[in-house]
Amino acid sequence: MSSKPKKKSDQLAAEPEKKHERLTPGGVTFNVINYVIFGILTFICAYPFYYLIINSISANNLSENGVINFWPQGIHFDNYVQVLQLSGLPLAAAVSVARTVLGTVLTVLASAFLGFMFTQQKMWARKFWYRFMVITMYFNAGLIPMFITMKNLHLTNTFWVYILPAIVQPFNIILVKTYIESIPHSLQEAAEIDGAGVLTIFGKIILPTCKPIMATVAIFSAVAQWNSFQDTLIYITDSKLYSLQYLLYQYINQANSLAQMVRTSGGSGMNMAALATQQTATSIRMTVSVVVVLPILFVYPIFQKYFVKGIMIGSVKG
Amino acid sequence: MFLYVLPFLVLIFLFSYFPLAGWAYAFYDYKPPLALSQCQYVGTKWFQMLFSNPTQVKQLIQVLKNTFAMSLLGIATSILPLLFAVFLNEIHCKWFRNLVQTLTTLPNFISWVLVFSVAFSLFSNTGMVNTILQNMGVIQTPIKFLDSDSHTYLWMLFWNTWKCLGWNSIMYLASIAGIDTSLYEAARVDGANRGQIIRNITIPSLMPTFFVLLMLSVANFLNNGMDQYFVFQNAFNKTHIQVLDLYVYNIGMTGNSLSLATAISMMKSLVSVVLLCVVNTVSKKTRGESIM
């Protein structure tokens, strides 16, 4: 799945094992059991995704009865055509994409900048402000005070409620700070002697060297934004601002009535062909799920190598 | 130079410190459309109600029981990611290991809503599991996996493990990669077999990471989050699925008792902070390092 397996596996191969080791019978049994168990675990993790996909493209009367388990039957793509026409879906997708892109960009920039600033000796009361930020990782006022605050700030039912609270993420800032501290300090000093200001150093020296850790922060933040569900639930009542996840939740719960709606608007012919493409609660549920999960399935393998690396750099030092 | 950071500090203040002022609502009889000044000051009425009203007390005890059960199950199984990493490290076939790692971390990247959707497709009445069991003649009527209250804790644990196991093991895999390879070489020269190497080198080297994570999960004992329980809750499993976070949501946002919910979440936050301090002290005393 991953595009460049070589590099990553080198990173994780802790034990440079010799290839031609003699294997005892016990060792063979151990290997076999180990492989089988990991095979099963992997299957359990991957199969549900496969199940959703094959069911969303199979004949709907078959998937409704749960008979599609391993191979799609009666392949058709009408589900997608019809689901994508459901009112609300394109808008919710736009909202989700917008918050993911904007939220990620801002979070990454803020994390990089703050992480950088917290390494600067010259910053006023640096230690205090660092603690001021880190402490917020460990407590929160709670759901209701948070809701009241958002209301008082007039952020409920605005797009900004998705973005603003997510910009400063202490955990990400610590990751970046740890990373920057591992860069030789002389790099900055040299630039300073050449007359570069703080912003120049940040933009021209720190940002380019921080790419791996920024990719990690980006993927964390993007996934969090894309998957976020609670904030729509709590702060948003305006259906124009629903996120994709929230809509999915609604669709799962109302799949029956939705299927009815699509069916009546689509006209009713009772021959086999119509039966196969007729929307059912199951087909709606699965198709919408696939629509929501596909972007992650595409993006995830590309970024995987970055975040494994990023986590390692960030975590090894603490 | 400080000015550059100021906007961010303002954000931190607004979204982390300022909400604390909201705790004031716990001392008022707050009715949503009114302003706080127009509401009646009731002192500790809500706190007293929590402990004196028998139905309220009963409900709260059940909720605490659920919270404790889920947290304890989580802590009891926190060894799994470590074992996962240790045994995955024993697999030397590179493509297989990459495949395992890629696919088992995948569920971590989907939302709880999607996890629920997955659960629904596999375990609903006409889902795959029931269909297969029925076709094999094991059962006659579909098992209500999702619409029943039996084994709720275990189901929640199962889905949590499904979602997070692979991801949580990454931290340990990273630590394993950081172990000094000369240790392994020395052990092999001394004739240690694989079991002995795992027991005496790999696992002890992972223990610091394990304890830090364990401490953190103890400190977060009351914070189970609510996404997971919210999407899985229904009329049937409500008794055993309501953890504190979900309970606060249910009575605050849908039950319309904002003040009572604030009182509960306020106590929860206070207990969490105390727990964190305790854990931090214990960690300092026993292991000489603090987690803050």
Side-chain angles (χ1 to χ4, degrees):
Chain A
M1 247 187 128
S2 104
S3 49
K4 275 183 201 162
K6 262 184 206 154
K7 248 194 169 165
K8 181 168 57 81
S9 54
D10 285 347
Q11 293 251 340
L12 292 178
E15 237 177 313
E17 192 85 11
K18 292 194 181 71
K19 274 270 153 78
H20 305 291
E21 213 185 353
R22 273 178 297 121
L23 279 173
T24 58
V28 173
T29 325
F30 174 88
N31 269 347
V32 170
I33 293 176
N34 211 8
Y35 274 80
V36 169
I37 288 179
F38 275 109
I40 293 172
L41 283 178
T42 309
F43 178 78
I44 292 175
C45 286
Y47 176 73
F49 295 98
Y50 179 68
Y51 183 81
L52 285 180
I53 293 173
I54 56 171
N55 269 283
S56 69
I57 57 172
S58 292
N60 291 347
N61 51 342
L62 297 178
S63 66
E64 175 72 6
N65 296 323
V67 293
I68 310 289
N69 290 334
F70 289 101
W71 308 113
Q73 289 172 34
I75 296 178
H76 68 96
F77 296 95
D78 285 21
N79 287 343
Y80 288 92
V81 176
Q82 293 184 12
V83 158
L84 289 175
Q85 284 167 358
L86 283 178
S87 68
L89 195 80
L91 192 60
V95 169
S96 273
V97 168
R99 67 175 289 185
T100 304
V101 172
L102 189 62
T104 305
V105 168
L106 287 178
T107 307
V108 168
L109 284 179
S111 303
F113 186 62
L114 281 179
F116 166 71
M117 289 306 271
F118 283 127
T119 63
Q120 297 297 298
Q121 306 291 334
K122 282 176 290 184
M123 187 182 145
W124 177 63
R126 180 173 65 108
K127 286 223 166 102
F128 171 78
W129 293 117
Y130 187 61
R131 292 215 178 106
F132 178 78
M133 175 198 75
V134 170
I135 288 173
T136 63
M137 267 169 83
Y138 297 103
F139 76 86
N140 58 64
L143 186 88
I144 308 295
M146 205 62 196
F147 170 73
I148 295 168
T149 306
M150 294 301 185
K151 216 166 174 185
N152 290 342
L153 296 173
H154 299 289
L155 283 172
T156 47
N157 273 331
T158 62
F159 179 70
W160 296 106
V161 79
Y162 293 137
I163 308 289
L164 291 179
I167 290 181
V168 179
Q169 300 282 354
F171 180 72
N172 292 341
I173 294 168
I174 294 173
L175 276 184
V176 178
K177 179 176 171 267
T178 316
Y179 187 90
I180 292 178
E181 277 165 355
S182 72
I183 302 171
H185 196 67
S186 48
L187 218 62
Q188 284 183 44
E189 277 161 8
E192 249 166 79
I193 291 167
D194 291 345
V198 177
L199 288 184
T200 323
I201 294 181
F202 174 68
K204 292 228 166 111
I205 295 179
I206 299 298
L207 272 188
T209 46
C210 278
K211 268 185 202 145
I213 198 72
M214 281 168 62
T216 310
V217 171
I219 191 81
F220 282 162
S221 154
V223 168
Q225 286 283 3
W226 182 256
N227 283 340
S228 180
F229 159 74
Q230 209 185 335
D231 45 15
T232 316
L233 177 73
I234 296 171
Y235 305 126
I236 304 286
T237 49
D238 180 358
S239 64
K240 283 193 201 107
L241 288 165
Y242 282 172
S243 64
L244 209 48
Q245 305 290 340
Y246 187 75
L247 207 67
L248 170 67
Y249 179 74
Q250 289 201 323
Y251 282 174
I252 293 174
N253 284 327
Q254 306 161 2
N256 280 315
S257 53
L258 269 175
Q260 198 71 47
M261 204 180 76
V262 177
R263 228 178 291 172
T264 46
S265 70
S268 54
M270 264 313 163
N271 52 32
M272 272 318 275
L275 213 56
T277 57
Q278 195 170 62
Q279 293 299 326
T280 62
T282 314
S283 69
I284 297 244
R285 226 176 263 131
M286 297 205 181
T287 311
V288 180
S289 302
V290 174
V291 169
V292 179
V293 91
L294 269 187
I296 291 184
L297 288 187
F298 278 118
V299 172
Y300 165 75
I302 303 168
F303 276 93
Q304 204 218 10
K305 55 179 179 175
Y306 286 112
F307 65 71
V308 173
K309 210 167 160 192
I311 276 276
M312 280 170 49
I313 295 159
S315 72
V316 168
K317 288 189 175 171
Chain B
M1 195 151 136
F2 178 68
L3 288 179
Y4 297 143
V5 202
L6 195 61
F8 300 105
L9 296 178
V10 170
L11 280 180
I12 299 178
F13 176 78
L14 273 186
F15 295 114
S16 295
Y17 289 91
F18 181 57
L20 294 178
W23 282 1
Y25 288 69
F27 301 99
Y28 285 83
D29 189 10
Y30 181 59
K31 303 256 170 30
L34 298 175
L36 194 59
S37 52
Q38 293 168 289
C39 297
Q40 204 194 344
Y41 178 77
V42 291
T44 54
K45 175 186 154 193
W46 298 111
F47 295 93
Q48 282 165 5
M49 188 179 150
L50 277 180
F51 298 109
S52 57
N53 181 339
T55 45
Q56 186 68 53
V57 170
K58 218 175 132 201
Q59 216 173 15
L60 196 63
I61 288 178
Q62 180 63 46
V63 169
L64 283 175
K65 225 161 123 191
N66 300 341
T67 310
F68 282 27
M70 309 266 192
S71 291
L72 281 177
L73 280 173
I75 290 174
T77 51
S78 59
I79 190 81
L80 287 178
L82 189 149
L83 294 178
F84 184 98
V86 168
F87 285 106
L88 184 61
N89 193 50
E90 291 300 311
I91 283 179
H92 302 305
C93 170
K94 267 183 189 169
W95 71 263
F96 185 71
R97 194 162 61 179
N98 282 328
L99 185 77
V100 171
Q101 232 204 324
T102 308
L103 291 180
T104 51
T105 35
L106 186 54
N108 183 66
F109 289 94
I110 64 171
S111 65
W112 277 111
V113 181
L114 267 167
V115 174
F116 176 67
S117 172
V118 164
F120 197 97
S121 359
L122 293 174
F123 291 99
S124 68
N125 288 350
T126 56
M128 187 200 74
V129 175
N130 271 319
T131 316
I132 289 184
L133 289 178
Q134 271 172 321
N135 289 346
M136 292 190 335
V138 182
I139 51 165
Q140 298 302 320
T141 49
I143 301 175
K144 290 186 184 307
F145 287 105
L146 297 165
D147 300 342
S148 86
D149 201 16
S150 47
H151 315 300
T152 307
Y153 297 157
L154 290 179
W155 273 110
M156 289 303 109
L157 178 70
F158 172 78
W159 287 111
N160 201 15
T161 312
W162 182 76
K163 190 172 192 286
C164 303
L165 180 64
W167 174 253
N168 290 345
S169 72
I170 285 191
M171 198 79 90
Y172 293 110
L173 283 168
S175 308
I176 291 178
I179 298 174
D180 191 352
T181 46
S182 61
L183 280 176
Y184 286 109
E185 277 153 29
R188 230 170 267 129
V189 170
D190 288 345
N193 63 28
R194 210 140 69 157
Q196 286 167 327
I197 290 180
I198 293 177
R199 227 171 307 140
N200 298 319
I201 298 178
T202 313
I203 291 186
S205 318
L206 294 180
M207 275 302 146
T209 316
F210 177 71
F211 277 114
V212 169
L213 294 179
L214 187 68
M215 295 275 180
L216 280 177
S217 62
V218 172
N220 276 321
F221 203 79
L222 293 181
N223 307 319
N224 311 79
M226 67 167 261
D227 277 18
Q228 177 185 3
Y229 309 103
F230 179 84
V231 293
F232 275 94
Q233 77 172 344
N234 53 46
F236 305 97
N237 62 14
K238 212 159 186 175
T239 330
H240 286 103
I241 209 167
Q242 277 206 87
V243 293
L244 260 175
D245 287 321
L246 181 58
Y247 184 63
V248 167
Y249 173 82
N250 281 344
I251 62 169
M253 304 298 283
T254 56
N256 273 325
S257 182
L258 278 173
S259 292
L260 181 63
T262 311
I264 297 176
S265 65
M266 177 178 164
M267 290 205 308
K268 186 185 141 252
S269 300
L270 289 178
V271 173
S272 296
V273 169
V274 171
L275 263 179
L276 183 74
C277 293
V278 171
V279 167
N280 200 36
T281 321
V282 170
S283 159
K284 249 185 208 159
K285 287 246 165 76
T286 55
R287 304 185 45 253
E289 45 187 289
S290 82
I291 53 172
M292 310 211 11

